């Protein structure tokens, strides 16, 4: 307002106004600088963490070269290390977690925003937020003492009966006989043992459901009632409103929420260390034991020395790389969606 | 209101008491194997003298790294430091307390102590060469025992640990194949099996998997009521894990000819010795960097070696035998100069 200068105004007032303008500009610039510093801090922290892991892992990268990425060895007494098994385990567990967590979170969010009666929304939302606040070691203990035995007695036998070439009930299923390779993904060296990649994925799913569902719930609430009401007025069912109005309106934020959960699943440490079985054998089967980057570091860092420590730092750097690639894919997907919408 | 006043009064009293005692706080870091008994000792010791001990169980490797940097008063390690390293950094080391590591099994119908194993079979099981409990080599050691014919699932520690260090060291001593292929260390490349995190993880896995075998600190096997195996020791005798057999191992190990106590006492020669017995070394500077702290630290370890038996026994550790304590005190007198 004060920017408009009228010729009728006395000079003192004009000077005051000019001073105020100058002050405002200065403050604005200060504020902008402050904000920029905040943003830069994140960037510096990220680059600092990535370069310091790369620097501390330089011995491992120098010793093993590109072979570090393709070797499945992890042998501390002979100082032979490779990142293949931990990287595979990290990606696999996170993907399994997403496969289960995304539909469930979607359902929770839809129920809370579209279907649930008002009195139920509060308690269920708080329960979800509470789940998000549980420390991961608790999930690990729960996984080790309760969930892994349940997987061993219930889920794993069922999966093996239907998908593996060596089922506990002795009858190889039609699917296994007719679809090649499927049995490879469901074989298990220890059929009576609950811990493994699949179990870790399920525990991770439970852990990331609160994150994904609360983001989804928040963004579903931002859909204008006007749009939904119009659709209902045209005779749409609840599902049609959700699929044709709510989802397209919130797509970007929903994908953002999913990737937030994925990021957490990729880096989860304690819970995974308890339920994945911690072995370094390369296997395509999700019912076998394995290890992830974070669980390997948690397990071995305390007693690691020399090249082993360097190898642990090197896989920590690879975790940055994996996460970065995942985020890149997310960005590309979003851009693809945006251009599709434009055409 | 009343309770609040009471609280304040208690706080004031506590702070006054703390000041009047003029306590010296010493810090140590390292092995988690020794952590339970150290914390129990330090509680009793603090009651008696007012001197507190702050011990961080961060792992032996980290303990050694910190004592080398001189940030703590003593380090504790499950593996002895080499004479070279000790001289290089001006450090000395001595054993503190003894504990046993026991093989535990989950076999239906087999009670604790009923199954007999020797070192060679244990190594072959962990190498993955003996894959079923019905293996004739196992049956030969266990005449008359009905061992179920199931697959063996090997369980090992997934985290780097002193327990693994001593266990793999024992396997290296009894099996040339293990010694050349796998070697020993706080973490190794296990030829077979699955990894549980900590003693807790291993004992849980063993309880959950029928036909499994693992190794844990004795206290865990006892507490969780998992059945352990008898072992044949170096003298060819069958022994059960107990305070007596652990003490026998410590007593018969050849400490006299081990410079700086650099001796891993697995596979000890005594008739009654439990073959997988371990200790934790306390590592301190020979020339003190902080005289008052070092004095308290020595006083603490002297007190614990001479009076710490009841606390150690209540946690299923075994105090060092008297001749070894004398040897340690002689070592202190000879090597440590304040």
């Amino acid at each position: 307002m004060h920017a408009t200068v009228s010729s009728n105004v006395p000079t003192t007032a004009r000077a005051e106004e000019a001073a105020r303008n100058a002050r405002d500009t200065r403050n604005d610039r200060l504020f902008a600088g402050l904000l920029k510093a905040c943003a830069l801090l994140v960037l510096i922290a990220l680059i600092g963490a990535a370069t310091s892991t790369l620097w501390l892992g330089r011995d491992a990268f120098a010793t093993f070269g590109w072979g570090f990425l393709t070797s499945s060895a992890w042998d501390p007494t002979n100082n032979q290390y490779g990142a293949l098994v931990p990287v595979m385990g990290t990606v696999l567990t996170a993907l399994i977690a997403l496969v289960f967590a995304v539909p469930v979170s979607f359902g929770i969010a839809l129920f809370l925003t579209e279907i649930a009666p008002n009195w139920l929304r509060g308690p269920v939302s708080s329960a979800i937020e509470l789940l998000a606040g549980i420390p991961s070691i608790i999930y690990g203990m729960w996984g080790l003492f309760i969930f892994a035995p349940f997987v061993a007695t219930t889920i794993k036998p069922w999966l093996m009966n239907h998908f593996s070439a060596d089922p506990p009930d002795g009858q190889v299923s039609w699917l296994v006989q007719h679809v090649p390779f499927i049995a490879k993904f469901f074989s298990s060296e220890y059929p009576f043992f609950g811990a493994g990649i699949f179990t870790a994925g399920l525990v991770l799913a439970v852990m990331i459901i609160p994150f994904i569902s609360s983001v989804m719930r928040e963004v579903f609430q931002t859909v204008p009632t006007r749009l939904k009401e119009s659709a209902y007025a045209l005779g749409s069912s609840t599902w049609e409103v959700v699929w044709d109005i709510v989802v397209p309106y919130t797509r970007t934020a929903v994908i953002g929420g999913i990737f937030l959960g994925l990021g957490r699943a990729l880096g989860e440490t304690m819970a995974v260390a308890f339920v994945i079985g911690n072995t370094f054998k390369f296997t395509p089967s999700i019912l076998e034991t394995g290890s992830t980057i974070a669980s390997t570091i948690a397990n071995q860092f305390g007693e690691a020395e020399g090249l082993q420590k360097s190898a642990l730092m090197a896989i920590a750097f690879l975790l940055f790389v994996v996460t970065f690639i995942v985020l890149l894919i997310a960005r590309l997907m979003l851009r693809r969606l945006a251009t599709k919408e434009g055409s | 209101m009343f309770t609040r006043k009471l609280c304040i009064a208690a706080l004031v009293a506590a702070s006054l008491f703390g000041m009047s005692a003029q306590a010296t706080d010493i810090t140590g870091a390292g092995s988690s194997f020794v952590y339970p008994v150290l914390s129990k000792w330090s509680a009793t010791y603090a009651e008696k003298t007012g001197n507190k001990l702050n011990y961080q169980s961060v792992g032996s490797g980290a303990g050694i790294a910190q004592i080398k940097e001189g940030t703590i008063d003593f380090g504790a390690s499950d593996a002895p430091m080499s004479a070279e390293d000790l001289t290089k950094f001006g450090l000395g080391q001595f054993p503190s307390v003894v504990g046993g590591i026991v093989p535990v099994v989950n076999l239906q119908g087999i009670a604790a102590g009923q199954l007999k194993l020797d070192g060679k079979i244990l190594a072959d099981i962990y190498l993955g060469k003996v894959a079923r409990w019905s293996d004739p080599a196992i049956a030969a050691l266990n005449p008359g025992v009905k061992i179920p014919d199931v697959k063996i699932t090997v369980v090992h520690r997934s985290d780097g640990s002193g327990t693994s260090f001593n266990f793999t060291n024992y396997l290296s001593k009894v099996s040339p194949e293990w010694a050349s292929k796998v070697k020993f260390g706080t973490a190794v490349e296990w030829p077979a099996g699955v990894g549980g995190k900590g003693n807790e993880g291993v004992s849980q896995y063993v309880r959950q998997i029928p036909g499994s075998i693992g190794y844990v600190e004795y206290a865990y096997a006892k507490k969780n009521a998992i059945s352990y195996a008898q072992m044949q020791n170096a003298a060819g005798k069958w022994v059960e894990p107990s305070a007596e057999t652990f003490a026998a191992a410590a007593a018969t190990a050849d400490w006299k000819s081990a410079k700086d106590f650099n001796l891993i006492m697995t596979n000890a020669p005594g008739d009654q010795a439990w073959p997988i017995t371990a200790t934790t070394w306390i590592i301190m500077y020979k020339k003190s960097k902080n005289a008052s702290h070092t004095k308290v630290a020595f006083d603490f370890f002297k007190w614990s070696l001479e009076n710490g038996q009841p606390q150690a026994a209540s946690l299923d550790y075994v105090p060092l035998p008297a001749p070894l304590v004398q040897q340690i005190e002689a070592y202190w007198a000879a090597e440590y100069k304040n």
Side-chain angles (χ1 to χ4, degrees):
Chain A
M1 258 325 206
H2 44 263
T4 50
V5 180
S6 149
S7 57
N8 302 346
V9 190
T11 19
T12 46
R14 211 177 289 163
E16 236 171 58
E17 211 167 279
R20 171 140 194 215
N21 275 345
R23 208 166 56 232
D24 278 0
T25 328
R26 200 186 61 229
N27 286 351
D28 275 355
R29 203 174 294 151
L30 258 173
F31 189 56
L34 194 70
L35 293 185
K36 202 189 270 173
C38 290
L40 278 180
L41 196 69
V42 177
L43 213 62
I44 291 169
L46 178 72
I47 294 172
T51 41
S52 56
T53 49
L54 181 62
W55 176 247
L56 291 169
R58 67 189 187 281
D59 280 350
F61 285 123
T63 313
F64 303 114
W66 289 107
F68 189 65
L69 298 177
T70 53
S71 157
S72 64
W74 194 273
D75 185 352
T77 45
N78 295 316
N79 265 332
Q80 290 298 319
Y81 305 99
L84 184 65
V85 175
V87 168
M88 279 277 298
T90 305
V91 174
L92 256 181
T93 50
L95 283 182
I96 293 169
L98 275 194
V99 165
F100 288 94
V102 169
V104 174
S105 306
F106 189 71
I108 292 173
L110 276 186
F111 176 75
L112 285 178
T113 51
E114 304 295 327
I115 296 162
N118 271 328
W119 61 267
L120 197 61
R121 294 182 186 191
V124 175
S125 313
S126 327
I128 292 170
E129 271 148 33
L130 218 64
L131 268 182
I134 295 177
S136 63
I137 183 85
I138 307 286
Y139 282 104
M141 284 301 178
W142 168 76
L144 175 65
F145 288 104
I146 296 159
F147 191 61
F150 173 74
V151 171
T153 54
T154 314
I155 300 178
K156 200 165 170 182
W158 186 87
L159 281 174
M160 289 189 71
N161 278 337
H162 287 82
F163 301 112
S164 91
D166 185 24
D169 67 359
Q171 293 172 325
V172 178
S173 69
W174 181 89
L175 200 67
V176 176
Q177 285 170 351
H178 293 83
V179 183
F181 300 121
I182 190 164
K184 273 202 163 42
F185 300 107
F186 292 93
S187 67
S188 176
E189 206 184 330
Y190 310 106
F192 304 110
F193 186 41
I197 294 170
F198 185 67
T199 312
L202 289 183
V203 171
L204 283 177
V206 177
M207 294 179 73
I208 63 175
I209 280 173
F211 289 86
I212 302 181
S213 63
S214 58
V215 170
M216 283 187 176
R217 185 179 63 97
E218 295 285 328
V219 297
F220 286 175
Q221 276 169 348
T222 63
V223 178
T225 327
R226 196 158 32 90
L227 289 180
K228 289 194 281 186
E229 294 293 330
S230 321
Y232 280 125
L234 290 172
S236 302
S237 65
T238 311
W239 176 250
E240 282 166 344
V241 169
V242 166
W243 201 244
D244 295 329
I245 308 290
V246 176
V247 171
Y249 191 85
T250 57
R251 187 158 48 206
T252 318
V254 164
I255 291 180
I258 292 173
F259 277 88
L260 190 74
L262 180 61
R264 193 178 148 92
L266 285 171
E268 179 46 48
T269 309
M270 264 318 170
V272 174
F274 276 101
V275 295
I276 197 163
N278 302 302
T279 51
F280 290 95
K281 228 174 273 161
F282 180 78
T283 162
S285 168
I286 58 168
L287 293 181
E288 291 283 24
T289 52
S291 52
T292 69
I293 292 177
S295 74
T296 304
I297 296 173
N299 271 322
Q300 305 206 339
F301 198 76
E303 296 284 349
E305 276 177 312
L307 193 59
Q308 189 186 1
K309 201 167 208 163
S310 181
L312 290 173
M313 283 296 184
I315 58 170
F317 176 74
L318 289 182
L319 185 58
F320 272 107
V321 176
V322 168
T323 316
F324 182 74
I325 291 174
V326 162
L327 287 179
L328 206 69
I329 294 172
R331 279 289 149 87
L332 286 177
M333 264 167 69
L334 282 177
R335 190 172 295 170
R336 220 66 191 274
L337 283 175
T339 43
K340 236 189 205 166
E341 230 152 64
S343 66
Chain B
M1 208 51 201
F2 176 71
T3 47
R4 193 159 154 200
K5 263 185 191 158
L6 203 69
C7 275
I8 293 170
L11 273 178
V12 169
S15 60
L16 280 177
F17 178 77
M19 273 195 287
S20 65
Q22 280 190 342
T24 310
D25 288 358
I26 52 170
T27 53
S31 154
S32 52
F33 182 75
V34 78
Y35 173 67
V37 66
L38 267 188
S39 54
K40 201 150 195 177
W41 277 341
S42 74
T44 319
Y45 183 72
E47 267 172 33
K48 288 213 165 84
T49 62
N51 296 325
K52 286 195 195 105
L53 169 73
N54 168 20
Y55 184 75
Q56 304 150 7
S57 82
V58 288
S60 301
I64 290 179
Q66 285 196 37
I67 190 73
K68 277 180 183 167
E69 280 162 26
T71 52
I72 47 175
D73 299 316
F74 70 89
S77 168
D78 297 324
M81 279 177 78
S82 68
E84 275 173 13
D85 269 10
L86 287 173
T87 339
K88 193 172 149 203
F89 291 93
L91 291 163
Q93 69 186 2
F94 54 88
S96 57
V97 69
V98 173
I101 296 158
V102 298
V104 288
V105 293
N106 177 347
L107 281 172
Q108 215 177 5
I110 302 287
Q114 211 183 342
L115 182 75
K116 291 179 169 180
L117 293 173
D118 63 9
K120 193 181 168 306
I121 294 217
L122 195 60
D124 283 349
I125 289 175
Y126 269 83
L127 280 167
K129 280 165 67 187
V130 171
R132 292 195 78 84
W133 283 109
S134 54
D135 195 282
I138 300 176
L141 291 176
N142 294 278
V145 182
K146 262 193 85 121
I147 303 174
D149 177 20
V150 288
K151 196 178 142 189
I152 299 178
T153 302
V154 168
V155 182
H156 54 74
R157 287 280 289 266
S158 64
D159 46 338
S161 75
T163 313
S164 291
F165 176 84
N166 284 289
F167 186 74
T168 52
N169 176 270
Y170 171 65
L171 296 185
S172 298
K173 281 182 182 167
V174 292
S175 159
E177 189 177 349
W178 186 278
S180 66
K181 259 197 194 158
V182 189
K183 300 176 185 156
F184 66 95
T186 53
V188 299
E189 184 174 41
W190 297 95
V194 296
K197 188 158 170 25
N199 282 300
E200 196 55 57
V202 171
S203 46
Q204 269 308 313
Y205 279 8
V206 169
R207 287 169 70 159
Q208 288 172 18
I209 313 170
S212 60
I213 181 168
Y215 60 93
V216 291
E217 282 166 35
Y218 178 54
Y220 276 85
K222 215 172 131 180
K223 207 167 60 188
N224 291 311
I226 320 175
S227 56
Y228 53 82
Q230 277 186 55
M231 293 287 299
Q232 190 172 38
N233 64 17
K237 299 275 191 314
W238 291 101
V239 281
E240 295 219 11
S242 71
E244 289 76 44
T245 53
F246 301 158
T252 57
D254 188 16
W255 294 106
K256 286 274 184 302
S257 51
K259 190 180 180 308
D260 292 312
F261 301 99
N262 192 344
L263 167 80
I264 302 164
M265 60 175 168
T266 54
N267 213 23
D271 270 358
Q272 282 303 306
W274 179 252
I276 325 172
T277 308
T279 188
T280 298
W281 283 263
I282 303 295
I283 303 164
M284 286 168 73
Y285 279 101
K286 288 191 174 172
K287 237 176 126 183
S288 168
K289 298 204 160 168
N290 184 335
S292 64
H293 279 215
T294 308
K295 199 162 161 278
V296 174
F298 272 118
D299 190 53
F300 171 76
F301 286 114
K302 193 173 159 57
W303 174 85
S304 68
L305 286 179
E306 289 167 2
N307 307 299
Q309 290 91 337
Q311 287 94 344
S314 73
L315 293 169
D316 292 306
Y317 291 86
V318 178
L320 301 182
L324 184 55
V325 171
Q326 283 164 15
Q327 200 190 335
I328 290 171
E329 286 177 351
Y331 177 78
W332 287 351
E335 298 283 339
Y336 285 90
K337 289 166 184 94
N338 286 317

